[in-house]
Amino acid sequence: ETSPHLPAPTNVEIYSYNFQSLLRWSPVPVENGSVLYTAQYKTGFYNEWSGMGCAQTPLTQCGFPPEMRRRRWTILLRLRAELGPLTSAWVHTPPFVADTNS
């Protein structure tokens, strides 16, 4: 028996301008219900995922919290869709460094 699964968000990208950065993505289409999204981050130094302040949000973008605004940190992001008890696979972004990617 296969369990129903939710598609992962697509077109996940980091938009950065003038050291103001946000994660944005395309909405996941579903027949009924509203999809929520959870984004997390970790740095190259600390191998534990932390919340970005965007847990179970209906929005399709998430601004970086102040503690992530370190110019030389390497930041990894991940995002998933949630619909009731269903969750999608995590979508991971390439490493992001504000100094070089802004």
Side-chain angles (χ1 to χ4, degrees):
E1 176 183 343
T2 61
S3 62
H5 70 281
L6 195 60
T10 57
N11 300 318
V12 178
E13 64 174 2
I14 297 168
Y15 174 78
S16 186
Y17 179 75
N18 249 2
F19 297 104
Q20 299 297 310
S21 304
L22 56 87
L23 181 67
R24 60 188 185 185
W25 57 91
S26 296
V28 171
V30 292
E31 290 293 316
N32 33 12
S34 67
V35 176
L36 301 176
Y37 304 93
T38 295
Q40 296 180 336
Y41 77 97
K42 71 178 179 178
T43 66
F45 298 111
Y46 193 61
N47 202 22
E48 186 140 326
W49 292 101
S50 302
M52 288 176 61
C54 299
Q56 298 181 326
T57 177
L59 303 176
T60 56
Q61 66 179 39
C62 178
F64 283 25
E67 64 270 20
M68 283 175 61
R69 294 191 190 130
R70 303 283 195 279
R71 292 184 172 197
R72 290 185 173 81
W73 282 12
T74 299
I75 295 170
L76 303 167
L77 300 169
R78 69 179 184 176
L79 172 75
R80 75 176 182 190
E82 302 167 0
L83 180 64
L86 303 178
T87 57
S88 74
W90 288 103
V91 177
H92 293 258
T93 64
F96 174 80
V97 180
D99 247 5
T100 53
N101 297 118
S102 282

